[in-house]
Amino acid sequence: MYEELLNKQVVDLKPSGIRKFFDLANTKKGVISLGVGEPDFATPWNICEAAIYSIKSKKTHYTANKGLPELRKEVSLYLKKQYDLDYSAEKNMIITVGGSEAIDLSLRAVLEKGDEVILLQPCYVAYEPAVLLAGGIPKFIELKSENEFKLTKEQLQAAITDKTKAIVLNFPSNPTGGVMTHEDYEPLIPIIKDHNLIVISDEIYAELCYDGKHCSPANFDEIKDLVILISGFSKAFAMTGWRLGYLCANETFIAHINKIHQYVIMSAPTAAQYGAIEGLRNGQKYVDEMVEQYKLRRNYIVSGFNRIGLKTHMPNGAFYIFPDIRKTGLTSVEFCERLLEEQNVACVPGSAFGNAGEGFIRVSYAYSIEEIKIAIEKIALFMEQFK
Ligand code: PMP
């Protein structure tokens, strides 16, 4: 009865497939989880201290809507230094409550009711609901494991209609770990430009690129002003709980997007912003150390999974592998449910990330090598029955 009082779009939203699965995993004892999408490292202590000091110094009020000028300046310098991107601290940037707010802001600012948005499946679970809530219609491109989950120009061309307004990209990708290089992007650029397609580029895993440097669609001058770049501190700086991200775009986009941010959020958490300034000024060595660890774990887990008969390509980014489970004859939900039941190991069914994820599971390696080792031994026992 109370449901009838609510917005139908909200009532019809499906709960996240990840959450549903973890509620199940949490009710069991002694479960080894390779499921969670967040760093196992603690936030570097210099960041914590800077935030604590800001509170001690009574910096506990709102900041400027777009975020502290010093933080925007540091983000601007960082993007230039790391990725050769030019975004001005004054005109091209908003500090947000995580990448999550930035995703929501961009879709709401861009979409009219009935506009189509291209999503690349398997994809991060928040994109489809965010498009729907903004009145848009999600249109899916299925990325293929044989293409290392990259987007091709044929796929993009075929998905564009006269209603297409935007495309959401996420490289390095959650859940596949796939990346797009400069060469991979090149053939897409004329298509994006010809159709004036807005590119919402979620680059939250940019720092976690293991072989070669991250490339952003905003690195292409021809389309830079069509790109809304989203990133943040959650993954690279191990700051998921601080809720801090940023959104960069052309001056006009920022002026309008900032109105939504102003009215809905006011400003991102102040202590977190002071912590992030310290992270950008003096935290690179900690980021580099964490990335080095992720790379070691990636190499270890990929070879482990292939050894026990679960075909896994070597992903170049993020902290996920996306093994192919089709040889077991199980659906990804059946595989994960039985693995949990029989061996107490939790992974996420690929279908949680859209139909294109069926036949795969998402395994996070944001865990210690010791935990990964035990999990692989248990999965090997589970796989015995499928020989
Ligand atoms: N984008 C992707 C692809 C993610 O995986 C996540 C977090 N799991 C987010 C955005 C949200 O990150 P934040 O903590 O910055 O809101």
Side-chain angles (χ1 to χ4, degrees):
M1 127 79 176
Y2 286 118
E3 254 177 29
E4 287 160 25
L5 300 175
L6 295 175
N7 173 286
K8 187 163 165 7
Q9 188 82 74
V10 174
V11 173
D12 287 350
L13 279 184
K14 292 190 284 294
S16 155
I18 304 185
R19 278 283 146 231
K20 203 169 96 190
F21 197 75
F22 275 93
D23 290 344
L24 214 70
N26 283 340
T27 55
K28 284 196 91 190
K29 277 218 169 78
V31 172
I32 296 194
S33 171
L34 296 183
V36 175
E38 67 173 323
D40 58 323
F41 298 108
T43 305
W45 185 245
N46 63 326
I47 295 178
C48 302
E49 267 189 330
I52 294 166
Y53 183 70
S54 76
I55 295 171
K56 282 190 175 160
S57 325
K58 302 194 170 56
K59 290 179 175 149
T60 51
H61 299 97
Y62 297 132
T63 67
N65 288 135
K66 287 185 187 168
L68 288 166
E70 307 93 290
L71 175 56
R72 279 182 278 136
K73 182 157 172 265
E74 290 303 329
V75 173
S76 174
L77 291 171
Y78 180 80
L79 290 176
K80 180 69 188 167
K81 181 161 178 245
Q82 298 291 334
Y83 309 117
D84 197 22
L85 290 166
D86 289 295
Y87 283 113
S88 120
E90 293 79 32
K91 296 178 184 153
N92 302 128
M93 195 179 298
I94 305 172
I95 305 297
T96 56
V97 181
S100 303
E101 189 213 347
I103 294 166
D104 187 48
L105 285 181
S106 19
L107 289 164
R108 285 208 278 164
V110 164
L111 296 181
E112 305 281 353
K113 197 166 171 45
D115 282 343
E116 292 179 2
V117 181
I118 300 174
L119 300 180
L120 312 182
Q121 278 189 335
C123 67
Y124 177 46
V125 292
Y127 299 148
E128 183 180 355
V131 170
L132 291 169
L133 290 171
I137 301 172
K139 292 281 160 178
F140 300 108
I141 292 179
E142 297 204 353
L143 301 183
K144 302 281 177 216
S145 63
E146 52 273 27
N147 284 342
E148 295 176 14
F149 298 102
K150 294 172 192 272
L151 173 65
T152 67
K153 78 169 198 264
E154 291 75 20
Q155 287 175 310
L156 177 60
Q157 193 78 63
I160 295 176
T161 73
D162 52 8
K163 292 209 183 80
T164 310
K165 189 73 173 287
I167 181 168
V168 179
L169 299 180
N170 168 225
F171 296 103
S173 155
N174 173 9
T176 68
V179 304
M180 292 275 288
T181 62
H182 196 273
E183 291 68 40
D184 296 325
Y185 273 122
E186 257 167 3
L188 310 180
I189 304 303
I191 306 174
I192 292 168
K193 189 170 164 51
D194 284 354
H195 291 85
N196 259 338
L197 207 60
I198 293 178
V199 180
I200 299 174
S201 183
D202 177 349
E203 301 177 28
I204 195 100
Y205 294 99
E207 289 83 352
L208 278 59
C209 243
Y210 304 110
D211 308 305
K213 201 87 183 152
H214 169 71
C215 177
S216 166
N219 285 123
F220 293 84
D221 289 342
E222 309 92 292
I223 62 157
K224 182 175 176 230
D225 283 344
L226 289 169
V227 176
I228 301 179
L229 184 151
I230 291 168
S231 194
F233 298 88
S234 284
K235 313 291 170 168
F237 290 85
M239 290 178 71
T240 45
W242 298 70
R243 312 308 305 126
L244 205 66
Y246 49 91
L247 179 156
C248 300
N250 72 60
E251 194 176 349
T252 311
F253 280 9
I254 289 294
H256 293 290
I257 293 173
N258 192 41
K259 289 184 284 182
I260 316 180
H261 172 73
Q262 230 166 33
Y263 289 127
V264 176
I265 298 293
M266 205 80 86
S267 58
T270 301
Q273 293 192 53
Y274 281 103
I277 293 173
E278 169 63 19
L280 290 171
R281 284 185 185 153
N282 300 310
Q284 194 56 42
K285 59 180 179 298
Y286 304 113
V287 175
D288 293 345
E289 275 166 27
M290 290 189 271
V291 172
E292 196 49 43
Q293 283 305 311
Y294 289 133
K295 187 170 176 177
L296 288 173
R297 295 165 179 191
R298 176 198 66 159
N299 296 346
Y300 183 82
I301 200 169
V302 169
S303 71
F305 268 69
N306 282 312
R307 193 181 64 242
I308 64 172
L310 282 170
K311 205 172 112 216
T312 306
H313 83 278
M314 178 71 82
N316 198 2
F319 41 55
Y320 309 103
I321 56 168
F322 208 59
D324 186 338
I325 54 138
R326 285 174 291 190
K327 70 182 259 195
T328 62
L330 303 176
T331 65
S332 58
V333 169
E334 285 165 351
F335 184 97
C336 290
E337 279 176 359
R338 280 185 48 185
L339 180 61
L340 182 60
E341 200 173 303
E342 294 170 27
Q343 293 295 337
N344 257 356
V345 177
C347 300
V348 183
S351 59
F353 308 94
N355 292 340
E358 189 47 273
F360 296 83
I361 56 170
R362 188 192 76 174
V363 182
S364 163
Y365 52 89
Y367 295 94
S368 68
I369 293 268
E370 292 69 37
E371 287 167 294
I372 293 172
K373 184 164 184 271
I374 298 169
I376 291 176
E377 280 163 12
K378 287 172 165 275
I379 299 169
L381 290 175
F382 177 76
M383 288 302 292
E384 288 287 319
Q385 61 192 303
F386 301 105
K387 276 196 172 147

